[in-house]
Amino acid sequence: MSMHKFNTFHFHLTEDQGWRIEIKKYPLLTQIGSVRKETLDSAVAYIMGAQQGNVWTEYMATPEHVEYMVYPRAAALAEVVWSPKESRDYVSFKNRMKEQIKRYDVYGINYFKTESSK
């Protein structure tokens, strides 16, 4: 329960623009604030890959749980963002992760352990 109205999140779906947040105080922002095809077409050359790797921690009670949810996902995100698309190779990534897993162990990081990392 919130005491103040500003704690409420409202979003609105539109037919052609995806979703946008309606801000009655700034109607022009609502009118032009969404991504349009023309905007995306002109920006596509500058998009390298993923832009962020969010982890929603509201239900993660300890730093260890956050680490478990973040690693090795952070390494996979870095691979996508920093490697040119044409040079990405999943088998190579998995092999390099074996060394990265050793680093996680040295630093005591509580990471998600797959069959290949055990």
Side-chain angles (χ1 to χ4, degrees), residues 41-57:
D41 288 345
S42 64
V44 76
Y46 302 102
I47 298 173
M48 293 177 60
Q51 301 300 312
Q52 58 187 336
N54 296 343
V55 175
W56 307 108
T57 60

Side-chain angles (χ1 to χ4, degrees), residues 18 31 33-34 43 64 85 90 114:
Q31 179 184 345
S34 295
E64 293 78 18
K85 189 174 185 175
Y90 182 65
T114 64

Side-chain angles (χ1 to χ4, degrees), residues 11-78:
F11 69 93
H12 300 271
L13 297 174
T14 63
E15 291 293 326
D16 63 341
Q17 302 299 318
W19 69 274
R20 70 179 79 158
I21 299 171
E22 181 181 24
I23 305 172
K24 294 186 188 306
K25 186 174 180 181
Y26 302 105
L28 187 58
L29 180 62
T30 302
Q31 179 184 345
I32 64 171
S34 295
V35 176
R36 291 176 169 74
K37 183 179 180 338
E38 308 81 51
T39 306
L40 189 58
D41 288 345
S42 64
V44 76
Y46 302 102
I47 298 173
M48 293 177 60
Q51 301 300 312
Q52 58 187 336
N54 296 343
V55 175
W56 307 108
T57 60
E58 302 91 290
Y59 300 106
M60 298 178 196
T62 65
E64 293 78 18
H65 189 189
V66 174
E67 284 178 348
Y68 179 82
M69 300 303 289
V70 169
Y71 296 100
R73 185 189 319 190
L77 178 65

